[in-house]
Amino acid sequence: EGKTEVGEIAFALVFGLVSLLLLLTSIWLGLYFATGMTSPITALVNAAENVRKGDLNTRVEEGEEKDEVGTLTRVFNRMTAQLSIQREGLVEVNRQLDERRYFMETVLSGVSSGVVGLDQTGKVNVLNNSAAELSDTTADKAIGMNFSELVPETFGLLTQALDNPSEQVNGEIIVKGVLQHKTIHVRISPQKEKQTEQGFVVTCDDISELVSAQRKAAWS
């Protein structure tokens, strides 16, 4: 009986040890497979956070798996690559626009005539300092104002141009200043490019000296 009890105890110990080993093995296998499934997802989450912060060059390592996670990883990398290319394109376009705007501002600043760009409703979207001198405001403050508000004497010419947007309008106005009056020749030309709305380009030339010379010649 003593040997039997010892045998049963030994069998129970071996059985318990084997069961413990099986349990530990099962836990290890579960953790191994769980880690294998969550690691790619964690990598995707971290990469998405980097994209949110503005890093479009981030990529997730692609494995050879063809399951849903692998497909999602490849799609994510293609998406970030495309976004990176599009951002570089936008940066280049903005750079070119800045260069063109700087060139246009430089050219306009050296022109003695007043030059004004209007949208389809007659609001100012660009003008040089010579044109701004016709009013009591600055070039920066004039942006967005209606040209007839900026220079009230142009109301009739601007109305004519808006009523006939395909025709050029010419006329002379007298701008009354504090010290002297100026005779200004105004030309409003329609401007329409492809895929853009109708706009106008206004040129203002001070012909006060010419008018004065003509008057003196007539009196002579």
Side-chain angles (χ1 to χ4, degrees):
E1 293 180 0
K3 293 182 179 180
T4 302
E5 292 179 357
V6 173
E8 290 177 354
I9 293 173
F11 177 78
L13 290 175
V14 172
F15 180 78
L17 181 61
V18 172
S19 300
L20 180 61
L21 290 175
L22 291 175
L23 179 61
L24 293 176
T25 302
S26 300
I27 295 174
W28 181 82
L29 290 175
L31 293 175
Y32 175 80
F33 286 111
T35 302
M37 294 179 62
T38 58
S39 294
I41 297 176
T42 303
L44 282 172
V45 171
N46 294 332
E49 179 65 19
N50 292 334
V51 171
R52 187 189 66 82
K53 295 178 180 179
D55 183 11
L56 296 180
N57 293 321
T58 185
R59 298 291 185 273
V60 180
E61 183 178 356
E62 298 182 10
E64 298 180 356
E65 296 81 1
K66 296 183 179 180
D67 55 2
E68 290 79 2
V69 176
T71 302
L72 181 61
T73 300
R74 288 185 286 272
V75 171
F76 178 86
N77 287 337
R78 288 197 296 268
M79 179 191 69
T80 53
Q82 185 176 1
L83 289 175
S84 179
I85 294 173
Q86 291 177 350
R87 184 177 66 176
E88 292 176 357
L90 289 175
V91 170
E92 177 63 20
V93 169
N94 288 331
R95 185 189 64 80
Q96 294 179 2
L97 290 176
D98 289 338
E99 290 181 354
R100 292 177 182 176
R101 182 171 62 252
Y102 176 76
F103 175 77
M104 182 178 65
E105 291 176 352
T106 302
V107 172
L108 291 179
S109 63
V111 177
S112 59
S113 300
V115 181
V116 185
L118 306 178
D119 63 8
Q120 71 277 9
T121 63
K123 291 183 178 181
V124 177
N125 49 38
V126 64
L127 80 164
N128 61 357
N129 292 328
S130 298
E133 291 176 356
L134 298 176
S135 64
D136 296 330
T137 185
T138 61
D140 294 335
K141 293 181 180 179
I143 302 299
M145 295 179 57
N146 191 283
F147 187 54
S148 61
E149 296 177 354
L150 188 66
V151 185
E153 294 83 359
T154 63
F155 178 80
L157 295 175
L158 182 60
T159 301
Q160 184 179 348
L162 294 177
D163 292 339
N164 302 277
S166 61
E167 299 180 1
Q168 186 181 86
V169 176
N170 293 272
E172 293 182 4
I173 62 173
I174 297 178
V175 179
K176 298 179 180 180
V178 177
L179 300 178
Q180 62 179 353
H181 296 173
K182 294 182 180 181
T183 302
I184 308 296
H185 180 268
V186 179
R187 179 184 294 108
I188 304 178
S189 304
Q191 182 187 38
K192 183 174 178 60
E193 299 180 356
K194 294 182 178 179
Q195 298 179 351
T196 59
E197 295 180 343
Q198 175 75 49
F200 302 92
V201 175
V202 183
T203 55
C204 304
D205 295 299
D206 188 351
I207 59 173
S208 301
E209 295 183 0
L210 177 61
V211 171
S212 178
Q214 289 176 346
R215 290 175 179 174
K216 291 179 181 179
W219 278 110
S220 299

